[in-house]
Amino acid sequence: MTARETSARETPAVRVRAEGEVDEEVLAYVRTKIDAVLNRAGLSAVTGEVRIAKAAAHHAEHPWSAVADLRVGSTVVVVHAQDATSREVTDRLQDRLRRQVERAVHEGSVGRRPAAPPWRGGQPGEGSAGGEAGQLDAHSA
């Protein structure tokens, strides 16, 4: 199996690779769909590669497969898809990639841990502001 490598025009850090009998039209469609997911405002730096392959066996039920192995900021996103045609597998990969990228963005922007209290090294202003405001009012009265 020989692999061809092309770089996506819009997202140069993401490579698109083809394995097997994959023509340029399919690669252009894959690039367009991947760029639609990854070229949006507020998204961290994205690096990695997308591979699309057509099985050599003609009797396979789902001869087309695609894998996206990306790093979005500090999160690793891996998405697999298999289907009967190149367009279907690309569309399925795009849908799954969009969900995983949204999850990565959401988990990266929302902290899972509450702010540490000051006696454990946290900043006094990180916690809930209501408790401090109540203490200040009690002392000033």
Side-chain angles (χ1 to χ4, degrees):
M1 244 198 291
T2 62
R4 289 179 287 164
E5 293 183 17
T6 61
S7 59
R9 293 179 201 125
E10 297 296 322
T11 39
V14 177
R15 288 188 315 181
V16 177
R17 290 181 47 206
E19 297 176 3
E21 298 176 21
V22 181
D23 60 6
E24 291 300 321
E25 181 181 327
V26 172
L27 287 174
Y29 187 71
V30 171
R31 277 189 221 106
T32 302
K33 292 296 190 167
I34 298 303
D35 288 344
V37 174
L38 300 179
N39 288 333
R40 54 167 254 207
L43 190 62
S44 300
V46 180
T47 59
E49 73 177 15
V50 176
R51 295 181 305 275
I52 185 164
K54 183 176 182 186
H58 297 288
H59 63 276
E61 186 176 341
H62 299 292
W64 288 92
S65 63
V67 177
D69 187 5
L70 307 173
R71 180 174 290 274
V72 180
S74 62
T75 305
V76 174
V77 176
V78 179
V79 181
H80 300 266
Q82 288 185 335
D83 224 313
T85 67
S86 64
R87 289 202 179 252
E88 289 173 350
V89 76
T90 302
D91 293 342
R92 185 178 304 267
L93 184 75
Q94 180 191 24
D95 292 341
R96 291 179 179 176
L97 185 60
R98 179 176 285 123
R99 283 193 303 266
Q100 293 296 325
V101 167
E102 288 296 325
R103 183 179 294 159
V105 168
H106 178 69
E107 288 176 357
S109 65
V110 178
R112 291 181 158 222
R113 296 183 195 164
W119 59 87
R120 290 197 176 158
Q123 298 297 323
E126 286 181 6
S128 62
E132 289 183 6
Q135 289 176 354
L136 290 177
D137 289 340
H139 291 297
S140 63

